[in-house]
Amino acid sequence: MGHTRRRAHRVARLVAIGAVVCGGLMISQAAADGSPAHKSGGDPTRALGARDTRDAELARSLVDKLGTSRTAGGWIGTDGRAVVAVTDEAAAEEVTRAGARAKQVRYSMRQLRSATETLRAAPRVAGTAWAVDATTNKVVVLGDSTVSTDQWSRMKGVAAEIGGEVRMERTTGSFTTRTAGAEPIFTQGGRCSAGFNVTNGQAGFILTAGHCGPNGTPWFADNQGNTTVGTTVRSDFPGSDFSLVQYQNADLDQSSVLNVGNGQIVRITGAADPVVGQQVSRSGSTSGLRSGEVTALNATVNYPEGTVSGLIQTNVCAEPGDSGGPLFAQNVALGVTSGGTGDCTSGGVTFFQPVTKALTALGVSIPNAPASDGGDAAAGAAPTTPANGANGAGAPVAPGGAGGQVSPIIPGTQGDTSSLAGIVSYAESLGPGLALIGAGLLGFLATLVIRPGRRRYSGYSTRWG
């Protein structure tokens, strides 16, 4: 009986030590995880790490250097490495020397873009979309549930005339704009999400989706219209899908910080174009923070309201009210939500207006974004006045919060202790590990205080055994 108690005592001590070790490992893992928190019940997000960012930039630079006749796009492979599609052996060798992986394909980007131009010139069919899928070296044409059998047959005929570059696919649901972010903004009969704060050096603006409202649309912070946000001074839709809302309320935060929900914030330091396979996050006022990856670039979508081209295609879900909300990777702005199909229960396809194109067209930049950040000149371009001539919103309002110095840690995420939200998030991430360590230490102390009873035998030390 005494031996049994002593064995149980040793087992309890080993369990306590194991709990301390496991708790330490959990804390180490949590401390190393820098991804933003996500909406409860939503898809977990994974912000790009340094390796991902480097490979995305490498793929972009190689495609730009080799040109559209020798490459067919680049992407991030499942192993996180940059992959570039090439059309000849010399290009493949150059890609390999640069540290990326080459994949030799049949069609060049010039041929694939020619196929998309032919599709665009054909009679427009609402409910269809197409984009270059670099990973399969095809132009993928999607038809939603609103496309009739006859319309789909005509589209197939156009694809057959183009050749093997085109693949046809049907999808469920319907392609719609997502009007119904970060923060919600309201107008009469509609709601969108604020995308990114931008500036022309004199006034502060919100970059959001163009389909949210035409020039002169008033926006409010509440559904009752009690708190004014600003007025749309430039809108581009269809064709593109971006707009500029000039702030009229100087009390509102006009810094480069995104509020992505649950007390989490992300500081945007620049803008860039994504690559296929890149892990991205999106925030919207309806469905919160969601994540996924880029599946295609230069997508064209035939919404009922008109055709929009040059979009980013992703498998991130979105719902009505998420329109205009930000798409980003780590601290880099990538796009604003345009539309798509599906929802955040069943999943779907979502398209985004690239931020770089919008910044260039509007002559604005991310507040306090260093010119070297983001991988695109638009992010650090010299501020100019928006070229629309519409200043009916009143006198320019000086930008609000300056945004402070850029931190290498995303504020509000694990590892940030510069704000209350960051401290709370950091503590929550360490909580399970700390609890396990605490339980293990208490158990270990208990084994020291409570010693198993022993029967004493003559001639033997009571410490033996």
Side-chain angles (χ1 to χ4, degrees):
M1 191 67 179
H3 287 291
T4 301
R5 284 196 297 269
R6 287 193 291 275
R7 279 197 299 271
H9 187 267
R10 286 195 293 270
V11 169
R13 181 173 293 180
L14 290 173
V15 169
I17 294 172
V20 172
V21 173
C22 290
L25 291 174
M26 290 173 67
I27 286 180
S28 298
Q29 180 64 34
D33 182 8
S35 60
H38 57 88
K39 182 176 180 180
S40 179
D43 304 329
T45 65
R46 185 179 76 86
L48 287 185
R51 166 67 187 273
D52 299 301
T53 305
R54 287 196 304 270
D55 278 76
E57 178 57 33
L58 177 61
R60 279 193 296 264
S61 63
L62 285 169
V63 169
D64 291 342
K65 180 180 179 181
L66 293 170
T68 58
S69 62
R70 302 182 67 198
T71 67
W75 62 93
I76 302 298
T78 56
D79 59 354
R81 286 188 61 195
V83 184
V84 177
V86 296
T87 58
D88 60 75
E89 288 291 345
E93 292 175 3
E94 191 166 347
V95 167
T96 302
R97 284 196 302 271
R101 189 164 64 246
K103 178 181 179 181
Q104 198 151 350
V105 295
R106 178 178 180 182
Y107 303 110
S108 69
M109 183 57 70
R110 181 174 296 175
Q111 292 172 294
L112 296 175
R113 287 180 179 173
S114 175
T116 63
E117 291 301 321
T118 303
L119 290 167
R120 189 175 291 114
R124 179 179 179 275
V125 178
T128 59
W130 54 81
V132 174
D133 182 357
T135 62
T136 62
N137 197 226
K138 298 281 187 179
V139 175
V140 180
V141 179
L142 300 176
D144 69 18
S145 59
T146 67
V147 179
S148 68
T149 302
D150 288 343
Q151 290 173 321
W152 191 239
S153 295
R154 289 198 295 272
M155 291 290 292
K156 282 185 173 180
V158 175
E161 291 178 5
I162 295 172
E165 300 100 306
V166 180
R167 186 174 78 245
M168 307 288 288
E169 292 183 4
R170 294 301 296 257
T171 184
T172 58
S174 59
F175 294 123
T176 60
T177 52
R178 295 309 198 183
T179 307
E183 300 286 352
I185 49 177
F186 301 88
T187 190
Q188 291 182 347
R191 185 187 88 202
C192 277
S193 297
F196 299 96
N197 283 325
V198 295
T199 181
N200 65 355
Q202 298 175 328
F205 304 87
I206 297 171
L207 178 64
T208 188
H211 70 262
C212 287
N215 288 357
T217 301
W219 292 98
F220 304 91
D222 59 294
N223 202 24
Q224 293 74 36
N226 296 323
T227 305
T228 299
V229 173
T231 303
T232 300
V233 295
R234 171 78 182 271
S235 180
D236 194 339
F237 177 82
S240 296
D241 195 2
F242 57 80
S243 65
L244 203 59
V245 176
Q246 183 172 5
Y247 276 108
Q248 289 180 297
N249 190 338
D251 293 331
L252 297 177
D253 183 6
Q254 298 171 37
S255 68
S256 59
V257 168
L258 298 179
N259 177 6
V260 294
N262 290 336
Q264 307 304 307
I265 59 175
V266 175
R267 188 176 300 283
I268 298 300
T269 60
D273 292 318
V275 297
V276 173
Q278 186 171 355
Q279 295 290 320
V280 291
S281 297
R282 171 205 62 75
S283 185
S285 60
T286 299
S287 58
L289 186 62
R290 303 285 174 164
S291 71
E293 68 179 44
V294 175
T295 56
L297 301 175
N298 297 317
T300 295
V301 185
N302 292 298
Y303 295 122
E305 302 92 333
T307 300
V308 180
S309 299
L311 299 176
I312 303 165
Q313 181 176 320
T314 74
N315 59 13
V316 187
C317 70
E319 297 180 354
D322 289 332
S323 280
L327 177 75
F328 58 96
Q330 206 168 28
N331 300 87
V332 178
L334 300 175
V336 292
T337 306
S338 176
T341 182
D343 53 41
C344 289
T345 300
S346 59
V349 176
T350 304
F351 299 94
F352 298 84
Q353 166 68 51
V355 161
T356 53
K357 179 181 177 181
L359 293 177
T360 300
L362 296 168
V364 293
S365 60
I366 303 294
N368 299 317
S372 60
D373 280 359
D376 192 278
T384 56
T385 303
N388 67 321
N391 287 323
V397 179
Q405 296 296 316
V406 175
S407 170
I409 299 174
I410 301 176
T413 61
Q414 297 172 14
D416 168 49
T417 56
S418 63
S419 65
L420 178 59
I423 293 171
V424 170
S425 177
Y426 189 64
E428 286 177 347
S429 71
L430 301 183
L434 290 174
L436 197 56
I437 289 176
L441 289 174
L442 287 174
F444 184 76
L445 290 173
T447 63
L448 296 179
V449 174
I450 305 172
R451 303 181 65 83
R454 295 180 174 85
R455 295 182 61 180
R456 297 178 180 269
Y457 294 93
S458 176
Y460 291 93
S461 168
T462 57
R463 291 174 293 180
W464 179 88

